[in-house]
Amino acid sequence: MATLEELKIEATAEIEAAKPQYISVNNEERERTEAEYAQAVTDLTNLKWQKQEYGYKSNRALEYPSIADQLDDIFHNGLDAWKATIQKTKDKYPKP
Amino acid sequence: MSSEIKVDTISEKTSAAGVTIDGVLIKDGAIPSIAGSGLVHINTSTFSTASSHSIDNCFSATYTNYKIVINLSAVTGSNIDFLVRLRVSSSDATTNYKTVRQFANGTSITVDTDPTGTDDWTLGFITGTGTDVHSGTIDLFNPFSATTTNGLTSFNGEFGAAHYLIACDWANTNATSYDGITFFPASGTISGTVSVYGYATS
């Protein structure tokens, strides 16, 4: 697991590599100011932290079968088969 | 007295005064009492390969509630979070955003909370496939009042080549009067159009 400081270094490198970045304000395009680049680094760092700590929830939710399909799975194949299906997704996106 | 008058044209007698029928004024091809009611266009802005798109001074004391229509014609990257912030005096606010997100694909519906933290709102996820576009609407309540701003959104998103309906319940609990809004992808760029409308109350 990366620390917040390590994620900030990653984010800084990504933003640096993506320069120059242009933003649109009131229909006019201009390059980000230094303060806006700093905010972009903060945003990306926070997002990386959020994804690292809690992203498994969203990833699992996106991949689990629908409730209807899970009920169908239980009805036709039993609880053990259903648990095996769910476990695959849990293993793919482990809780940190 | 006849109960019906058939003529081809009724013109104003007094210059620039219009014509009044049963209390309703018709003037210069419009009914002034209707003009400006309902949904009133405030601003349409376009952007191309931008890291973010901001609109200032689109919220004011004129309207309490707003509708915003977003059309993204091109995006870069895959499975990118598409995010929103409120603005005040040309600066983005970065605190106290709450999002409850519901996303549906096929028969599967999932709900999560604050999927990208509390320093912005999540509108959806976007993927640049070259041919796909993403669109959405936002109803925003009380942004200009110095009280909680709420929003309800619907957006069509793309994640892992699957199409999603994404609906969000938003709140920003700052007691701040916001006058603008910013849209931005978590990474990459976006191109498109945003229109802002005010809900007139009379």
Side-chain angles (χ1 to χ4, degrees):
Chain A
M1 302 297 292
T3 64
L4 198 57
E5 194 54 39
E6 287 168 341
L7 293 176
K8 186 175 181 182
I9 291 168
E10 262 182 43
T12 302
E14 287 179 30
I15 295 294
E16 283 297 321
K19 282 184 176 179
Q21 289 186 320
Y22 293 92
I23 65 172
S24 164
V25 181
N26 302 323
N27 271 338
E28 289 185 11
E29 293 212 353
R30 62 167 172 79
E31 190 178 356
R32 287 190 198 273
T33 63
E34 284 306 310
E36 287 164 346
Y37 275 121
Q39 183 64 51
V41 169
T42 300
D43 290 344
L44 191 53
T45 303
N46 290 342
L47 192 69
K48 284 174 177 289
W49 177 261
Q50 190 76 20
K51 295 284 183 191
Q52 176 182 282
E53 297 298 307
Y54 308 108
Y56 74 95
K57 290 182 181 176
S58 297
N59 289 334
R60 287 178 177 181
L62 282 160
E63 211 163 281
Y64 284 142
S66 71
I67 297 298
D69 285 345
Q70 290 188 45
L71 289 171
D72 206 43
D73 190 18
I74 293 168
F75 180 83
H76 288 290
N77 305 311
L79 280 173
D80 287 341
W82 166 75
K83 285 174 79 172
T85 301
I86 297 300
Q87 193 63 49
K88 282 181 193 169
T89 301
K90 288 187 181 295
D91 292 344
K92 187 174 177 182
Y93 303 109
K95 191 176 179 179
Chain B
M1 187 175 181
S2 172
S3 61
E4 185 178 16
I5 299 172
K6 289 186 176 178
V7 295
D8 290 327
T9 305
I10 299 174
S11 301
E12 60 191 2
K13 180 180 178 184
T14 305
S15 180
V19 173
T20 300
I21 301 173
D22 199 18
V24 177
L25 175 67
I26 302 172
K27 185 174 181 305
D28 299 332
I31 301 175
S33 61
I34 292 176
S37 66
L39 213 49
V40 181
H41 179 254
I42 294 171
N43 178 296
T44 292
S45 51
T46 59
F47 44 97
S48 179
T49 58
S51 297
S52 72
H53 177 61
S54 300
I55 309 160
D56 290 324
N57 302 314
C58 56
F59 310 134
S60 70
T62 304
Y63 305 105
T64 305
N65 305 316
Y66 298 82
K67 181 172 279 294
I68 302 171
V69 181
I70 304 140
N71 287 294
L72 296 180
S73 56
V75 304
T76 58
S78 297
N79 310 333
I80 307 298
D81 291 299
F82 187 41
L83 308 167
V84 179
R85 280 181 175 146
L86 293 165
R87 284 167 76 79
V88 58
S89 303
S90 300
S91 293
D92 289 354
T94 59
T95 58
N96 293 324
Y97 292 93
K98 314 290 183 193
T99 301
V100 177
R101 179 178 67 169
Q102 186 181 61
F103 47 99
N105 167 246
T107 58
S108 180
I109 300 174
T110 305
V111 179
D112 58 13
T113 303
D114 300 334
T116 57
T118 58
D119 54 3
D120 46 44
W121 278 326
T122 303
L123 183 56
F125 26 72
I126 53 180
T127 293
T129 61
T131 55
D132 201 12
V133 295
H134 303 278
S135 305
T137 59
I138 299 167
D139 279 313
L140 205 58
F141 309 98
N142 300 312
F144 197 72
S145 302
T147 182
T148 294
T149 297
N150 289 319
L152 291 171
T153 77
S154 60
F155 189 78
N156 52 26
E158 202 82 14
F159 191 98
H163 205 68
Y164 282 86
L165 162 65
I166 305 161
C168 295
D169 163 17
W170 285 352
N172 180 280
T173 56
N174 292 332
T176 303
S177 172
Y178 295 109
D179 56 16
I181 193 164
T182 291
F183 299 89
F184 63 108
S187 63
T189 63
I190 49 174
S191 302
T193 304
V194 173
S195 293
V196 182
Y197 303 85
Y199 281 104
T201 54
S202 62

